[in-house]
Amino acid sequence: MFTAALANEGYKQVFGHDRMVDFYDTIKNNTSIALTCGKNSSAAFQIVVFPDCDGVLSVDGTSPFSYYGDVPNFRIKVEIDGGFDIKLSPVDYVCDDGGLYKADIILPTGSVLLKKDITQPVYIEIPVGKDATSGTYSGTLKLYRHSRFDNEELFMEFSFTLTIKDVVIPDLKASSFHLDLWQHCCNIARKHEASYWSDRHFEILEGYVKSLADLGQKAVTVIASEIPWSGQHCYRTPGYPSDMFEYSMVRVRKTDGGFTYDYSAMQKYIDLCFKYGIDAEIEVFGLMNIWLGDEGFDGPETDFPDAIRIRYFDETDGCYKYMRSSADIENYIKSLEKYFLDTGLIDKVLVAADEPGDVEKYRKSLSKIKEIAPNFKFKAALNHTEFLDEFSSEVITDIVPLLNCVSRQWDLLKKHMENRTGRTLWYVCCTPAYPNTFIGSALAESRLIPILTHFMGFDGFLRWNYTVWPENPRERLSYKAPNWSAGDTNFVYPSRSGDVLLSLRYKCLKRGLEDYALLEMAKEKGINLDELYDKVIKTRNISDFDLPVSLKKPEELFSIDYNDYEEMRNLIFDALEG
């Protein structure tokens, strides 16, 4: 029997192992839905279609034929009072580590093929402008059906309401939330078959930068030496060859007169980010805490305290080479500092280190770079608790502890935040198991992140993973050798056209960032936040998030019911309107 049902925006459809998961148990009777929205935002929900035969589903008003042959055509039409624009997007599945297929990729296509007994979600979004009129609007979703040259007939009908509250949600670009999702521009070029830093590369990058700006991204990622992460050690996964190397944005040449440095590609990328309002921070990777490996990736032999890989083209003999003397490396770092000084960008620059593991080695690198380039400030993503005791804000301007470190050093961090002049962010990566943003994570976890940031009093959130795709991310996202769960490497996907494909996880993170802005509004109005937090955060003890030490289950830490997040938001709306 052909079935369809409505679901909220945070519903994740799952199938696999010859059975449907969650469909009938949780949404099968949903023929209507009530949406609530603030101004300068959007409302969203899903329809999930469960076909009893092969077919084709249209969401753009067309009626295409199917190469399956003589199969029925289905068409979705959504209407609402008030003349709002409505965007319908089929949602594609991604295979999780356990072999289950989970809805995630939001497709721009106008139609999609249906396969018997495989559900097809469609994401429906209604933008609501700043000047929208408050009130409740009624809408309908109609499902039409026909075969070949038969006349179309109305097949199923659903209803929904949209209540627009008299609250304007601030633009995320202006939010105080410091979002730092690292950018891996070379991986983007490879997936779209563009040459590094070519005009085509920058054309493609613009869509990705815009998608980051729409979240309120604050930091520009700059790579200033070759492969600072050693390709995430991708060479350790021969069973799934994937190129994850990131290359320097700075071109270095050597002539008879010495070294020259071309910063044009780096500056062009900075300008692109600034164009979209991503201009609070320029984080520079590749100058310290270079990742090493046992497979010949320790870098060229130098007498510099870190394995910086600065490649240059030697015009005297036409060969590429690497800097090997500390003097040459120091002059390069001095030149980079001078460039940022001359362009007036130095106050935004933070030299970043990703998970340094040796306190003494890190101290030596810091000391050396401070000696060479005293105007640089520093930032570190920390997964070792001992670093929090070692370095004050005068040494590391911005600190970004892993959630496990936050929970283990909570009292110390609170004291740090009282005295720090820089920012304090937090992050998750391949750990903890929850909360996180994996394909296997509940979508509520992506929404939780900004709310938990507000609860802890941190300045923002960092994640390494915006576009660090393995070779075929839409076919095989799981990449387990480096201990990455499916989805650990990305929030978005590459399209075949060069555009960026958003995900349900991206949408839920964006919703959580709006929640953060609303919590700030509630705080400024003097509204008690405890009742709001209690809707979604189930413990006040941050040490409970120290997994697996605490042995707490997800539902003991936070709500995995997306409706609770909607209830929290509605409480904020009511309080702000009152």
Side-chain angles (χ1 to χ4, degrees):
M1 179 180 176
F2 190 103
T3 308
L6 302 185
N8 63 42
E9 64 179 354
Y11 176 76
K12 182 182 290 188
Q13 181 58 46
V14 183
F15 80 89
H17 303 321
D18 299 322
R19 70 179 189 277
M20 297 309 303
V21 179
D22 288 338
F23 180 84
Y24 286 105
D25 292 338
T26 60
I27 67 170
K28 69 172 183 176
N29 296 318
N30 293 354
T31 58
S32 64
I33 194 167
L35 309 173
T36 304
C37 184
K39 300 177 184 180
N40 194 36
S41 180
S42 66
F45 65 105
Q46 299 180 57
I47 181 171
V48 184
V49 173
F50 183 39
D52 59 354
C53 61
D54 294 344
V56 59
L57 177 68
S58 168
V59 299
D60 64 355
T62 62
S63 186
F65 289 96
S66 169
Y67 56 71
Y68 289 156
D70 188 10
V71 297
N73 295 65
F74 300 91
R75 180 173 64 90
I76 296 175
K77 182 177 178 62
V78 182
E79 296 177 314
I80 185 172
D81 299 337
F84 295 93
D85 291 330
I86 303 172
K87 185 176 182 180
L88 285 72
S89 305
V91 181
D92 201 3
Y93 288 96
V94 175
C95 189
D96 200 355
D97 303 300
L100 291 174
Y101 287 83
K102 299 183 176 179
D104 194 48
I105 309 173
I106 299 174
L107 299 175
T109 182
S111 62
V112 64
L113 296 176
L114 297 177
K115 196 70 175 174
K116 180 182 178 181
D117 295 337
I118 295 180
T119 47
Q120 177 58 60
V122 175
Y123 188 82
I124 301 164
E125 189 166 24
I126 307 169
V128 177
K130 292 180 180 179
D131 299 325
T133 302
S134 303
T136 298
Y137 300 83
S138 298
T140 59
L141 186 153
K142 297 178 180 179
L143 190 61
Y144 295 88
R145 174 177 178 163
H146 82 280
S147 294
R148 298 292 286 272
F149 304 107
D150 294 340
N151 291 334
E152 192 176 62
E153 62 180 6
L154 179 62
F155 181 53
M156 302 180 77
E157 186 168 356
F158 304 85
S159 63
F160 65 95
T161 59
L162 169 60
T163 299
I164 300 176
K165 307 295 271 185
D166 193 18
V167 176
V168 178
I169 298 176
D171 290 334
L172 293 182
K173 293 178 183 179
S175 172
S176 62
F177 191 99
H178 196 85
L179 181 65
D180 181 10
L181 304 179
W182 292 353
Q183 301 113 63
H184 293 72
C185 296
C186 291
N187 207 334
I188 292 173
R190 286 190 294 269
K191 293 301 179 289
H192 295 288
E193 299 179 310
S195 297
Y196 301 137
W197 317 121
S198 63
D199 289 345
R200 178 57 180 154
H201 187 190
F202 278 100
E203 288 174 6
I204 294 165
L205 284 173
E206 186 154 6
Y208 286 89
V209 169
K210 183 181 183 302
S211 71
L212 282 164
D214 288 345
L215 291 174
Q217 170 77 8
K218 297 296 190 290
V220 182
T221 300
V222 164
I223 310 297
S225 72
E226 307 298 344
I227 61 169
W229 293 284
S230 290
Q232 308 292 343
H233 305 306
C234 56
Y235 39 80
R236 295 176 179 170
T237 314
Y240 187 16
S242 298
D243 186 347
M244 294 186 177
F245 292 104
E246 285 296 316
Y247 297 100
S248 178
M249 295 176 171
V250 183
R251 297 179 179 92
V252 183
R253 303 178 79 88
K254 185 179 182 183
T255 65
D256 289 334
F259 288 101
T260 63
Y261 313 104
D262 180 358
Y263 297 110
S264 59
M266 179 186 79
Q267 187 61 55
K268 189 173 182 179
Y269 184 65
I270 292 171
D271 290 343
L272 177 61
C273 291
F274 279 25
K275 171 185 172 182
Y276 285 95
I278 303 173
D279 58 6
E281 174 191 346
I282 300 170
E283 55 187 346
V284 179
F285 290 94
L287 300 186
M288 61 191 315
N289 193 50
I290 308 302
W291 286 20
L292 308 178
D294 299 326
E295 300 85 355
F297 280 89
D298 287 347
E301 289 292 331
T302 72
D303 50 355
F304 196 80
D306 219 321
I308 300 176
R309 300 138 177 182
I310 302 172
R311 194 178 190 220
Y312 64 90
F313 181 74
D314 192 337
E315 293 185 357
T316 64
D317 59 11
C319 294
Y320 280 101
K321 301 174 183 178
Y322 285 87
M323 289 184 180
R324 300 184 185 277
S325 75
S326 181
D328 289 341
I329 296 171
E330 289 176 27
N331 285 333
Y332 171 74
I333 295 173
K334 289 177 183 177
S335 171
L336 187 61
E337 179 199 36
K338 184 177 184 301
Y339 180 83
F340 286 126
L341 282 165
D342 291 346
T343 54
L345 297 171
I346 192 67
D347 290 339
K348 298 178 184 289
V349 174
L350 292 172
V351 176
D354 184 10
E355 297 187 341
D358 185 319
V359 170
E360 187 56 36
K361 181 180 178 181
Y362 183 66
R363 185 181 289 112
K364 288 179 180 178
S365 292
L366 273 172
S367 177
K368 187 66 173 178
I369 295 179
K370 282 178 177 288
E371 174 191 333
I372 298 165
N375 292 286
F376 278 151
K377 299 187 291 291
F378 298 87
K379 171 181 183 176
L382 302 172
N383 64 343
H384 292 78
T385 55
E386 60 268 25
F387 278 78
L388 300 177
D389 286 315
E390 290 285 335
F391 300 104
S392 67
S393 59
E394 288 75 28
V395 181
I396 304 178
T397 304
D398 287 14
I399 59 168
V400 191
L402 181 65
L403 181 56
N404 301 68
C405 294
V406 172
S407 55
R408 292 171 193 171
Q409 295 277 16
W410 178 240
D411 291 336
L412 176 63
L413 274 168
K414 284 193 294 185
K415 292 180 181 178
H416 268 304
M417 286 189 288
E418 291 173 2
N419 301 315
R420 293 193 69 83
T421 56
R423 290 176 288 255
T424 303
L425 284 68
W426 64 289
Y427 76 101
V428 297
C429 53
C430 56
T431 60
Y434 47 83
N436 217 306
T437 62
F438 305 139
I439 297 299
S441 305
L443 285 174
E445 296 178 44
S446 292
R447 186 166 179 177
L448 170 74
I449 283 169
I451 301 170
L452 188 57
T453 303
H454 198 276
F455 174 74
M456 295 190 297
F458 281 21
D459 298 299
F461 175 77
L462 176 154
R463 216 180 188 300
W464 73 289
N465 71 326
Y466 201 62
T467 59
V468 199
W469 306 294
E471 189 62 23
N472 296 298
R474 293 173 62 182
E475 297 175 15
R476 180 180 170 186
L477 191 59
S478 184
Y479 196 78
K480 290 296 288 185
N483 196 33
W484 295 339
S485 296
D488 193 7
T489 60
N490 70 306
F491 267 116
V492 296
Y493 297 83
S495 73
R496 299 179 183 91
S497 66
D499 295 328
V500 55
L501 300 179
L502 305 182
S503 68
L504 294 179
R505 291 173 296 137
Y506 172 101
K507 292 290 188 180
C508 287
L509 175 63
K510 185 176 183 181
R511 195 66 79 197
L513 291 162
E514 290 182 348
D515 292 335
Y516 181 95
L518 286 168
L519 286 165
E520 283 289 275
M521 293 173 67
K523 180 180 178 181
E524 290 173 7
K525 196 173 179 179
I527 297 168
N528 188 326
L529 301 183
D530 288 341
E531 181 184 5
L532 305 176
Y533 292 143
D534 287 344
K535 281 292 179 182
V536 297
I537 299 173
K538 301 304 181 183
T539 177
R540 292 303 177 94
N541 187 354
I542 297 299
S543 65
D544 286 343
F545 285 88
D546 184 11
L547 306 176
V549 175
S550 73
L551 300 178
K552 296 289 186 180
K553 298 177 181 178
E555 56 270 23
E556 296 177 282
L557 301 174
F558 53 86
S559 175
I560 56 175
D561 184 346
Y562 203 81
N563 292 320
D564 289 339
Y565 295 79
E566 291 296 285
E567 287 186 21
M568 184 200 76
R569 174 171 285 213
N570 288 335
L571 285 173
I572 300 175
F573 284 148
D574 291 342
L576 292 175
E577 282 187 321

